[in-house]
Structure formats: structure tokens, C-alpha cells
């Protein structure tokens, strides 16, 4: 890690510790309100309103802790049950959903321990570098002045001024240790919070089933849409040309004796129609599974794809010899869609494609220097990429601030089929 990255991460962790202390203190009044709401919930009608409201506040505080933990490198998934259909705030269904969710009570159980851990670890995150900073800045300053801050006279003999600067390297060492340790303290706090705020094993299984249900439905919809596209392309393309081909050959058969020259002309038209129909079929096959992908693998197929992009495209890869065919196909079409988005919407001058394998996942990054501002909900095809990757438990993340650059990062879990890695790079 570069020294600047190390310092930046440490300072961010120190700032996170500074923020964590007041947030941790906020847990205590929330805990008091939760107890009061729990006691008052026995009052008819009042519990239906008060307890769910306090619970939503606690969940908001827990969600904030989850986001901070994610920034510290410890992702925590939301473990809550989905709300029932036709549940209205203040109604019995809504109240029952809140009360019967185990995550509700785990949030309440976290409030006090989370407050203690947050204050202690946050204070340590601040105290160590602050103590070192005092040695680096304040002690030499005081000794060089030889007086206290209030101007009441010398507090060190003048002959000890030079000796005081011996604390400078000690302070620098403590400051460096504090900055280096700060990210680990924040991660420790995040891991402690995950004990309460993360989903249990049963909740993980429940969330996994929900994800698979959604993924399966999206996959079925995508497959149905793909079949409709193939049927439409066949009907509007190759089928029309083949019907025309048959009619032309039939006319040529009728004219072959009476008008040989006209028959030859019709046969020439039939030959052109058959060539066009063959081109349509080849184009359709490329949309299903490109032959270049089967022949040259993902590396060669992406390079061939980059050559067809109308803007300069750089390709850098570090891939195994071959991956599983479904994975290669999904990755190829995901990269193709990302490049198409960059070409159509970003007004980019250059694009870059990076592919590499980590041993357990295939990572893809498509970036461009365009205008930025890409939004998956804007119908730019990014939702299609997400659905395609989700069928393999893959994920997509997008960074596209206004003014650019746009970076689409995709991950597909997969094992390498060959231990040999062949890094290469090129420009299309």
C-alpha cells in the first residue's frame, strides 16, 4: 500500500471514530425510549402507534451503523423480514410484523453494548494519534517558549529546552502507530456490531431464498424476452428472405424455357437473397452465442468486440485459459452491453476494458471518459446487466459522477478452469 493511501485510510478512520462517539451516545436515549415504548405498549391503542415508531428510529440508527461498518470494510446486511402485504402503519398487521421480527429485538439488545463499544473504541481511535500529535507539536512549542500558556512565568529551566525535543520522535512514533491502528479499531467495532446487527443463520437462509426467488423470476423473464427476440428476428429477417427466395426460384422455373435470360436474372437475385438470409442467421447466432467466444475464449472475444467499437478501446486481461461456457457467455454480453452504453450515451472519447481473475471470481471493469451521470433506472441497459449477472450470483457497481468518468465494475463468482494465468493487453 502506498504511504499516502495508508495515511488517508488512517485519517478517515480517525474521523470515523470522532463521528462514532456521539452516535454511540445516541444509543442510550434510544434505549430509554424503547423501554418506555415497550412498557406503554400494554395500553390499548397506544402500543400500536408508539412502539413501531420507536422501532423505526432504532432501525434507522442500526442502518447508519451498518453503513459505517461497510465503509470500514465489514459489510452488514439488513436482516429484517419484508413487510406484509396491505400493512398500514398503526395497524395490527404492521405492529405484528415489527414485534415478531427477531431482528427488532437484536437491535434493542445492541443499543447499550453498542454504545459502550462505540465510545471506548472511538475514544481509543482518537486518543492514540492525539497523544502522539501532542508530542509532535505542543510539547516542543511549550518548551521552546519556556512559559506556560497563561503567561505566569517559565515552567522549564532554559537549559532543559534542548532536551525537550527528545519527545519529538516519540510523538511522531505514537502518531504513526495511532494512524496505523485506527482502521483496525474501526473494523473491530464493526465486527462487534455485526454480532447484533447482522442476520442470523436462519435470516441468512431466508434472505438467500428471497434473492434466489427474485433471481429466478428475472432469469425466466429474461429467457422469455430472449426467445421473443429470436422469434421476431427469424420472422422479420431470415424467414421473409427464405419465403422470397422460394418465390423467386419458382418464377425462375416457369421462365427457364420461355425467357432464359430473365430466369438467370431471377436466379442471381435468389443467390443474393440466400446470402442475405445466411447473414441474418449468422447475426442471430452471434446474438445467442458468438462463434468467436467458442473459438477464442473470453479474452479473444472481448478483443474482437473492442475492434467493432467506434471509439478507441483498450483491453487488458489476466485470465485463465478458459472459464465455464455459461460464465464466459454472461461476461461477454455484460461487457458488450457496457460498451454499447458508453458508445451511445456517454459521448466518450476513449473506453477501457479490464478483465482479471481472483481465483474465486471473474472481475470486469468497463470505464470511459465521457460525461458521466449514468443511472441504472434511466433505461440505459444497466438493469439488464444486473439481471444477467444475478443469474450467477454476480454483482454490478456503478460510479458515474456528473462530468465523468463512468466506471462499471462487475463480478461473477466462478472457479478457474486452468491454473495458468496469461496476462495480456492491447488496444482495439
Amino acid at each position: 500500500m502506498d504511504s499516502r493511501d495508508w495515511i488517508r485510510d488512517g485519517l478517515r478512520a480517525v474521523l470515523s471514530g470522532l463521528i462514532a462517539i456521539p452516535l454511540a451516545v445516541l444509543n442510550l436515549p434510544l434505549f430509554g425510549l424503547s423501554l418506555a415504548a415497550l412498557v406503554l405498549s400494554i395500553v390499548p391503542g397506544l402500543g400500536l402507534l408508539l412502539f413501531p415508531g420507536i422501532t423505526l428510529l432504532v432501525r434507522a440508527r442500526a442502518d447508519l451503523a451498518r453503513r459505517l461498518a461497510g465503509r470500514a470494510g465489514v459489510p452488514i446486511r439488513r436482516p429484517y423480514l419484508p413487510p406484509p402485504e396491505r400493512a398500514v402503519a398503526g395497524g395490527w398487521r404492521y405492529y405484528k410484523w415489527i414485534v415478531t421480527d427477531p431482528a427488532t429485538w437484536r437491535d434493542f439488545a445492541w443499543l447499550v453494548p453498542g454504545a459502550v463499544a462505540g465510545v471506548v473504541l472511538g475514544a481509543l481511535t482518537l486518543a492514540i494519534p492525539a497523544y502522539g500529535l501532542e508530542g509532535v507539536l505542543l510539547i516542543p512549542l511549550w518548551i521552546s517558549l519556556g512559559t506556560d500558556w497563561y503567561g505566569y512565568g517559565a515552567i522549564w529551566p532554559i537549559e532543559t529546552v534542548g532536551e525537550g525535543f527528545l519527545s519529538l520522535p516519540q510523538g511522531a512514533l505514537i502518531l504513526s502507530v495511532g494512524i496505523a491502528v485506527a482502521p483496525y479499531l474501526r473494523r473491530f467495532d464493526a465486527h462487534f456490531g455485526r454480532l447484533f446487527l447482522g442476520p442470523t443463520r436462519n435470516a441468512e437462509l431466508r434472505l438467500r431464498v428471497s434473492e434466489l426467488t427474485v433471481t429466478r423470476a428475472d432469469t425466466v423473464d429474461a429467457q422469455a424476452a430472449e426467445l421473443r427476440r429470436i422469434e421476431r428476428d427469424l420472422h422479420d429477417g431470415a424467414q421473409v428472405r427464405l419465403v422470397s427466395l422460394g418465390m423467386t426460384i419458382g418464377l425462375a422455373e416457369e421462365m427457364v424455357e420461355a425467357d432464359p435470360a430473365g430466369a438467370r436474372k431471377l436466379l442471381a437475385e435468389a443467390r443474393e437473397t440466400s446470402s442475405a438470409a445466411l447473414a441474418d442467421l449468422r447475426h442471430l447466432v452471434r446474438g445467442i452465442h458468438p462463434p468467436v467466444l467458442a473459438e477464442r475464449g473470453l479474452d479473444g472475444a472481448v478483443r474482437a468486440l473492442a475492434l467493432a467499437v467506434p471509439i478507441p478501446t483498450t483491453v487488458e486481461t489476466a485470465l485463465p485459459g478458459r472459464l465455464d461456457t455459461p460464465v464466459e457467455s454472461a461476461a461477454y454480453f455484460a461487457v458488450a452491453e457496457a460498451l454499447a452504453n458508453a458508445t451511445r450515451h456517454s459521448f466518450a472519447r476513449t473506453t477501457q476494458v479490464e478483465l482479471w481473475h481472483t481465483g474465486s471470481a471473474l472481475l470486469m471493469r468497463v470505464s470511459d471518459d465521457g460525461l458521466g451521470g449514468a443511472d441504472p433506472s434511466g433505461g440505459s441497459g444497466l438493469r439488464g446487466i444486473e439481471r444477467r449477472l444475478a443469474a450467477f450470483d454476480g454483482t454490478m457497481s456503478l460510479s458515474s459522477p456528473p462530468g465523468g468518468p463512468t466506471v462499471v465494475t462487475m463480478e461473477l463468482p466462478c472457479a478457474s478452469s486452468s491454473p495458468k494465468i496469461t496476462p495480456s493487453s492491447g488496444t482495439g
Side-chain angles (χ1 to χ4, degrees):
M1 179 184 294
D2 187 82
S3 60
R4 288 175 295 182
D5 295 337
W6 168 73
I7 295 175
R8 184 184 66 246
D9 293 345
L11 292 178
R12 286 178 178 175
V14 172
L15 179 60
S16 176
L18 179 63
I19 297 173
I21 293 176
L23 290 178
V25 173
L26 182 62
N27 285 16
L28 299 178
L30 283 177
F31 181 74
L33 289 174
S34 301
L35 287 180
L38 188 61
V39 172
L40 294 175
S41 63
I42 61 176
V43 179
L46 185 59
L48 295 178
L49 296 174
L50 186 59
F51 187 73
I54 298 300
T55 300
L56 291 180
L57 290 177
V58 174
R59 287 190 176 186
R61 169 67 185 97
D63 286 339
L64 179 58
R66 294 185 184 98
R67 287 197 295 271
L68 293 176
R71 293 179 181 178
V74 184
I76 303 177
R77 302 177 63 186
R78 296 184 89 241
Y80 306 117
L81 293 171
E85 296 182 0
R86 299 184 300 275
V88 180
W92 169 249
R93 287 178 179 267
Y94 193 81
Y95 179 80
K96 184 179 179 181
W97 166 59
I98 292 288
V99 172
T100 58
D101 191 345
T104 298
W105 306 104
R106 290 171 60 85
D107 286 352
F108 290 155
W110 163 77
L111 288 173
V112 174
V116 175
V119 170
V120 172
L121 294 174
L124 282 176
T125 305
L126 291 175
I128 299 176
Y131 182 69
L133 186 64
E134 181 185 14
V136 171
L137 297 180
L138 299 183
I139 293 179
L141 178 62
W142 293 345
I143 294 177
S144 64
L145 293 176
T147 59
D148 61 13
W149 280 4
Y150 300 98
Y152 291 131
I155 54 177
W156 287 287
I158 191 65
E159 60 270 11
T160 64
V161 170
E163 299 176 2
F165 283 94
L166 293 177
S167 64
L168 181 61
Q170 298 172 1
L173 177 61
I174 296 173
L175 177 61
S176 300
V177 170
I179 293 177
V181 170
Y184 296 96
L185 291 174
R186 300 314 311 143
R187 281 196 284 271
F188 183 80
D189 189 15
H191 280 292
F192 179 80
R194 188 164 65 175
L195 296 176
F196 295 89
L197 303 180
T200 62
R201 182 174 179 82
N202 290 335
E204 285 276 11
L205 292 175
R206 184 180 66 249
L207 292 173
R208 181 61 177 156
V209 169
S210 300
E211 289 178 355
L212 291 177
T213 301
V214 174
T215 301
R216 182 181 62 184
D218 289 341
T219 302
V220 170
D221 292 341
Q223 288 178 344
E226 187 72 8
L227 289 175
R228 289 193 297 270
R229 182 189 68 83
I230 295 172
E231 181 182 4
R232 183 179 63 252
D233 290 347
L234 285 173
H235 182 272
D236 298 341
Q239 178 177 323
V240 173
R241 296 186 188 278
L242 291 175
V243 170
S244 176
L245 174 64
M247 295 175 62
T248 303
I249 293 175
L251 290 174
E253 288 177 346
E254 296 177 358
M255 298 173 57
V256 68
E257 294 182 358
D259 187 3
R264 285 194 298 271
K265 184 178 179 180
L266 288 175
L267 290 175
E269 293 179 1
R271 184 172 60 251
E272 293 177 357
T273 302
S274 66
S275 299
L278 182 60
D280 287 342
L281 290 174
R282 286 175 175 169
H283 179 74
L284 182 62
V285 169
R286 282 196 296 269
I288 299 174
H289 188 74
V292 67
L293 186 59
E295 296 170 0
R296 299 171 56 185
L298 183 60
D299 189 341
V302 170
R303 294 184 183 282
L305 183 65
L307 292 174
V309 176
I311 56 179
T313 301
T314 301
V315 179
E316 298 183 0
T317 65
L319 297 176
R322 292 299 295 265
L323 301 174
D324 293 337
T325 300
V327 173
E328 286 189 339
S329 179
Y332 173 84
F333 285 110
V335 172
E337 184 64 37
L339 285 175
N341 287 335
T343 303
R344 297 170 186 167
H345 307 293
S346 70
F347 300 98
R349 295 184 299 273
T350 60
T351 58
Q352 183 177 15
V353 179
E354 300 171 82
L355 308 175
W356 70 98
H357 200 276
T358 64
S360 60
L362 171 65
L363 295 177
M364 302 160 283
R365 181 184 297 128
V366 179
S367 55
D368 65 71
D369 59 355
L371 300 180
D375 184 5
S377 62
S380 60
L382 295 174
R383 289 297 185 195
I385 296 177
E386 289 181 331
R387 288 193 297 267
R388 187 181 294 275
L389 298 178
F392 298 86
D393 286 341
T395 59
M396 184 200 77
S397 60
L398 173 67
S399 174
S400 184
T406 296
V407 180
V408 180
T409 304
M410 299 162 283
E411 180 176 349
L412 274 176
C414 66
S416 61
S417 59
S418 170
K420 183 179 180 180
I421 302 295
T422 56
S424 58
S425 63
T427 302

